[in-house]
Amino acid sequence: MNTPRRRVLVAGATGLVGASLVACLCEDPGVAEVHALARRDLPCAHPTLRVHRVDFAALPALPPVDEVYLALGTTIAVAGSQAAFRAVDFDANLAVARAAQAAGARRLGLVSAMGANTRSQVFYNRVKGELEAALAVLGFDGLVIARPSLLRGNRTALGQPLRAGELRWAKVDALLRPLLPRGLRAIDGSDVAAALAATVPNARGRVLLTSAMMQDAQSRAAQIRVTA
């Protein structure tokens, strides 16, 4: 018997991880439809891709989906204030999760942060932890939380502002990478995307993907495809 092909939704499809997620899911033969939510058009096309330009503060009803991937994120510096940052990283992500669940989604993948903790003294990490906690009570069959270290990738090519923290850590990473623990090394956005895309479809309960676990996920997935 043929396995039904999945319908998936990606929020934050123009970002570093989100763009890689869209590309990865479009190439997945088990996916019938990739619905990308974004504020602007995507510079790519694929037979399975459906782009929805939306206002995340006033979401329309979403198409029927089986999985949802949340890759919406910013920084306080880019957003301009703590309130504006929270509106994206907490409010918008939670709104998409609820709307996707209403549209049939039973599994969810989240791009969080390595320091996510509801009790953190760091506002950024505390908001990330609060989002994880809010998603946990929604009752998804599977909730996959990715907690990457600082991301690396070409934000300029995506039309995104550079992030000072990522640039500083990239210099340290370039010098000391072989000496750093895997969990502290900068991680490619494409590896985070590959790890989520491989884990979410069969997830049961809450699954945590640490940065160390996700390192080189894209190359591992490619090797599996070659040997399959």
Side-chain angles (χ1 to χ4, degrees):
M1 294 180 64
N2 292 328
T3 302
R5 297 173 71 205
R6 294 135 45 217
R7 300 159 299 178
V8 305
L9 180 97
V10 179
T14 57
L16 198 58
V17 178
S20 289
L21 265 170
V22 169
C24 186
L25 293 166
C26 281
E27 296 305 320
D28 185 339
V31 173
E33 299 173 4
V34 178
H35 296 277
L37 302 188
R39 294 188 180 90
R40 54 187 171 87
D41 290 333
L42 272 62
C44 60
H46 191 275
T48 64
L49 180 61
R50 315 284 187 269
V51 180
H52 307 267
R53 295 183 62 178
V54 299
D55 176 357
F56 288 100
L59 284 173
L62 300 180
V65 292
D66 304 295
E67 301 163 12
V68 55
Y69 296 81
L70 302 179
L72 285 166
T74 185
T75 65
I76 297 172
V78 172
S81 67
Q82 289 186 343
F85 166 79
R86 186 180 177 85
V88 174
D89 277 58
F90 184 88
D91 296 338
N93 277 309
L94 184 57
V96 173
R98 287 172 171 162
Q101 189 174 47
R106 300 309 308 158
R107 290 180 173 82
L108 182 148
L110 169 68
V111 182
S112 186
M114 186 169 64
N117 190 321
T118 57
R119 298 182 179 179
S120 177
Q121 296 300 307
V122 179
F123 180 77
Y124 178 93
N125 290 336
R126 188 166 68 251
V127 171
K128 294 291 190 180
E130 290 171 353
L131 176 60
E132 289 184 10
L135 295 175
V137 301
L138 293 183
F140 282 91
D141 291 346
L143 171 61
V144 181
I145 298 172
R147 289 184 182 170
S149 176
L150 286 175
L151 297 170
R152 65 179 186 179
N154 192 344
R155 290 193 183 276
T156 302
L158 295 171
Q160 289 191 322
L162 300 178
R163 298 185 178 185
E166 291 177 357
L167 291 174
R168 287 194 296 269
W169 189 247
K171 295 178 181 179
V172 175
D173 187 81
L175 290 172
L176 302 175
R177 189 172 182 85
L179 304 177
L180 292 171
R182 284 174 63 85
L184 294 181
R185 296 173 188 172
I187 184 168
D188 290 337
S190 57
D191 282 328
V192 179
L196 280 169
T199 308
V200 169
N202 299 307
R204 301 291 299 180
R206 181 179 179 275
V207 180
L208 177 63
L209 297 176
T210 66
S211 202
M213 293 166 62
M214 294 186 289
Q215 289 284 358
D216 304 316
Q218 186 178 33
S219 60
R220 294 199 306 270
Q223 290 170 1
I224 291 171
R225 287 195 295 271
V226 169
T227 58

